[in-house]
Structures are given as structure tokens and as C-alpha cells.
Amino acid sequence: MLGAALIEAWDLHTAIHVNRGFPWKKRGRLKLAPYLTAAAIRLLVSAALTGVYAASGQLAGVLSAVTVGVAAPKILQSIARRSLGRPAGEIPAQASPPGEGTAASSGGPVPSYLPADSSQPATTSEGPQVDAR
């Protein structure tokens, strides 16, 4: 919840700066109630998503919990876009069919620094990587 509260505070700071005062006090702008409602919804959604990540063992500590709280709206947008963007049961184009590109088909675990296509050299932003086996 701290992550969402930090984002709400930053958004309020930005709105006050842009409007040179509280936006809800400006003529033609929304009143205070819609701002408070939106902030409360964001806090609840962020707390719920952080709770789900924590319950599933995905959070390593406090910093990761704050990060999920900050990123909750974008995480949910991404999930919604991916789940609503294609019919149910459709496999994404980048997904490999079962058994291809997995440890089972390659004879063992594939290190994360190796590309999915073993005919291409592995690279990172720091240049080519050499397998030191």
C-alpha cells in the first residue's frame, strides 16, 4: 500500500503544480470527491495485488512489495491487455509448442544467457557472451 500511496502523493504534487493550487478548487474541474474516490480505488487495487504477490511467494522483501504497489496499475493493464487481446485458449505467437525450446528437448537445462535459437550467438547489452563450461 505504501507504493500506491507514494504514487498518489506524487500525482497530487504534480496536479497542484500544474494547476497552481488544488485542482478541485478550480472552476470547471472535478470536485474533491472524485479525486478521493480514484485515490481510494488505486490504494485498494495496489494493496490487493501486493497481497496476491505476497501470498504466492513472489515478493522477496519490503522493497519488492513497495515496487509492486507502485507498478500495480501498469501490471493490471498488462494483464488485461494480454488476456482481453486474444480469444480464450489461443496460444501467443511467441510461445513455443510443448516440447520445443525446453530443457526436455535440448537434453538439459538451458542457461538464461543463451538465445532460444541456439544457431544465433548469445548477446547482451554488454556484447557477446561466451559459454565458460
Side-chain angles (χ1 to χ4, degrees):
M1 197 144 160
L2 175 62
L6 291 171
I7 291 298
E8 286 302 322
W10 183 254
D11 285 349
L12 177 59
H13 171 268
T14 302
I16 290 170
H17 179 73
V18 167
N19 290 289
R20 294 189 168 93
F22 293 113
W24 52 86
K25 291 188 174 183
K26 300 290 181 182
R27 186 176 193 162
R29 300 296 301 250
L30 294 173
K31 299 297 181 200
L32 179 59
Y35 285 101
L36 292 177
T37 302
I41 290 170
R42 183 175 187 150
L43 290 170
L44 290 172
V45 166
S46 293
L49 189 62
T50 303
V52 168
Y53 272 73
S56 67
Q58 297 296 313
L59 300 180
V62 175
L63 181 59
S64 59
V66 170
T67 303
V68 169
V70 166
K74 292 295 182 187
I75 292 170
L76 293 174
Q77 284 176 353
S78 177
I79 292 169
R81 195 174 305 119
R82 289 181 181 181
S83 65
L84 299 176
R86 62 179 181 270
E90 182 180 318
I91 298 174
Q94 69 271 18
S96 298
E100 288 185 25
T102 63
S105 66
S106 64
V110 178
S112 61
Y113 56 82
L114 291 178
D117 179 10
S118 60
S119 66
Q120 298 294 322
T123 60
T124 67
S125 59
E126 298 166 348
Q129 297 293 309
V130 177
D131 186 5
R133 284 190 230 174

